[in-house]
């Protein structure tokens, strides 16, 4: 098989590394020191679970009991503000007021 020069160099390096390890370099597996734990949770995990449950219960209690039992009052209208006329006339032309026209001449003064 024809291999590229890079692949041949890699194969040679891996082979040399594998040949450098022998039975004298290996040691037996360490025996287990304690019985394996079962499915029983640790006390630290139990405490963390209880604290999380208490936090959720407190949050639920505060959100449910913190709301009002009766509806909110209706909004009040704002107090009227006194507006001053602007110094500039408005763009809309004001309508003229009707003038009183006498139907008969005024009586002479006495």
């Amino acid at each position: 098989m024809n291999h590229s020069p890079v692949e041949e160099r890699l194969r040679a390096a891996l082979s040399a590394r594998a040949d450098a390890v022998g039975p004298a370099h290996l040691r037996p597996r360490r025996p287990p020191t304690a019985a394996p734990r079962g499915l029983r949770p640790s006390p630290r995990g139990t405490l963390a679970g209880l604290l999380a449950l208490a936090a959720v219960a407190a949050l639920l209690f505060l959100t449910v009991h913190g709301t009002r039992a009766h509806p909110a009052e209706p909004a009040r209208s704002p107090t009227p503000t006194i507006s001053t006329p602007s110094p500039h006339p408005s763009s809309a032309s004001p309508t003229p007021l009707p003038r009183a026209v006498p139907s008969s001449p005024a009586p002479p003064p006495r």
Side-chain angles (χ1 to χ4, degrees):
M1 231 183 204
N2 291 335
H3 298 292
S4 69
V6 174
E7 187 173 348
E8 287 181 22
R9 289 177 63 194
L10 282 173
R11 284 178 182 266
L14 288 174
S15 178
R17 184 75 174 155
D19 291 340
V21 177
H25 294 99
L26 300 177
R27 64 174 184 237
R29 290 189 66 181
R30 187 179 302 164
T33 58
R37 283 193 333 173
L39 297 177
R40 197 182 87 196
S42 68
R44 189 178 291 176
T46 304
L47 179 63
L50 289 175
L51 287 176
L53 184 63
V56 169
L59 182 66
L60 184 64
F61 178 77
L62 292 176
T63 57
V64 170
H65 291 289
T67 59
R68 294 182 176 191
H70 55 83
E73 296 179 8
R76 296 181 183 172
S77 61
T79 57
T81 58
I82 300 172
S83 63
T84 58
S86 65
H88 303 291
S90 65
S91 61
S93 60
T95 56
L97 295 174
R99 296 185 179 178
V101 179
S103 56
S104 62
R110 291 187 189 176

